[in-house]
Amino acid sequence: GQQLNQSPQSMFIQEGEDVSMNCTSSSIFNTWLWYKQDPGEGPVLLIALYKAGELTSNGRLTAQFGITRKDSFLNISASIPSDVGIYFCAGQRSAGNTPLVFGKGTRLSVIA
Amino acid sequence: GAVVSQHPSRVICKSGTSVKIECRSLDFQATTMFWYRQFPKKSLMLMATSNEGSKATYEQGVEKDKFLINHASLTLSTLTVTSAHPEDSSFYICSAPPGGGIAKNIQYFGAGTRLSVL
């Protein structure tokens, strides 16, 4: 099935640094979601974006819904060791009872 | 946020046995739930859409006789891996949209089930 183009695939950063990752698509989405997955766990919802241009924050996390509705980015400020994990973007085209389209994930490693 | 409970978290079974995985929405009703499979260091791969009171919709390449889905109530969907073989070993995850209002496009995930077939 379709997947979103998510980059970078992996990142190694120093504790305290800011992180940025993004997702792009060739088609329009009505909702963009960002999830974090820890090893052996299911994805946990971080931020949900519903409108083009929307900028939403959740603590040190900030995400934006691209104005073209074909892209989204996630920023993490002042990274800490517990930010380690895999971050997935997901797009939803229509109603909630349709499947999400996922990016391939960004694996974040934080060096203390 | 809404809670989706998945059980068991880990199961080890012998080849040829069947394994049932449960996915429950604890504080909302879900007419639809989704089942995913995830290989190591890979993204989630949609297996099927579970529909309450009707047949599941399977993605191309997923054997419906192998992966039986039952969505008998508004809060429970089950995935049964029948006659499991080592190649079925994987991480299985369910999700459900809580529905209603602006949150209708959100999906919450269970914690996943690690299946190991010996």
Side-chain angles (χ1 to χ4, degrees):
Chain A
Q2 182 193 0
Q3 278 192 312
L4 301 172
N5 300 312
Q6 185 172 349
S7 64
Q9 287 188 349
S10 62
M11 301 180 73
F12 290 83
I13 61 167
Q14 289 283 132
E15 183 178 359
E17 288 184 351
D18 297 342
V19 174
S20 184
M21 59 192 79
N22 70 85
C23 270
T24 60
S25 170
S26 58
S27 55
I28 289 172
F29 287 94
N30 291 326
T31 303
W32 283 90
L33 306 170
W34 284 94
Y35 292 88
K36 182 191 178 202
Q37 185 178 27
D38 291 327
E41 299 288 332
V44 174
L45 182 66
L46 299 174
I47 292 180
L49 302 160
Y50 301 102
K51 294 189 295 187
E54 179 182 356
L55 185 70
T56 297
S57 293
N58 177 7
R60 293 178 296 107
L61 278 62
T62 302
Q64 184 157 32
F65 192 143
I67 197 73
T68 65
R69 294 165 63 193
K70 294 182 179 180
D71 63 298
S72 177
F73 72 74
L74 174 71
N75 288 342
I76 305 173
S77 63
S79 58
I80 59 178
S82 62
D83 290 334
V84 166
I86 303 176
Y87 293 79
F88 290 102
C89 62
Q92 175 68 275
R93 283 205 175 84
S94 54
N97 58 353
T98 55
L100 296 175
V101 179
F102 282 91
K104 292 188 176 182
T106 295
R107 184 178 297 271
L108 179 63
S109 300
V110 179
I111 304 168
Chain B
V3 179
V4 174
S5 174
Q6 190 171 338
H7 178 81
S9 58
R10 185 178 181 95
V11 58
I12 301 172
C13 69
K14 291 182 180 179
S15 186
T17 60
S18 294
V19 174
K20 180 186 283 189
I21 303 170
E22 294 186 347
C23 182
R24 294 181 185 271
S25 55
L26 296 187
D27 50 359
F28 64 96
Q29 294 182 332
T31 56
T32 303
M33 291 186 179
F34 302 96
W35 287 97
Y36 297 85
R37 183 172 181 176
Q38 187 177 32
F39 292 101
K41 298 186 179 181
K42 297 293 184 183
S43 189
L44 285 76
M45 182 184 76
L46 179 68
M47 297 175 66
T49 301
S50 173
N51 303 300
E52 187 269 336
S54 65
K55 291 182 180 179
T57 306
Y58 290 83
E59 295 300 298
Q60 190 173 8
V62 178
E63 300 176 58
K64 54 184 171 184
D65 295 330
K66 174 75 170 175
F67 299 100
L68 298 179
I69 291 173
N70 188 330
H71 195 149
S73 78
L74 287 171
T75 59
L76 174 64
S77 174
T78 60
L79 169 68
T80 300
V81 184
T82 62
S83 187
H85 290 284
E87 59 266 28
D88 299 323
S89 299
S90 193
F91 193 56
Y92 294 88
I93 314 174
C94 67
S95 75
I102 198 171
K104 64 181 183 297
N105 289 350
I106 288 175
Q107 289 186 21
Y108 292 100
F109 286 82
T113 298
R114 171 75 58 195
L115 171 63
S116 299
V117 185
L118 304 178

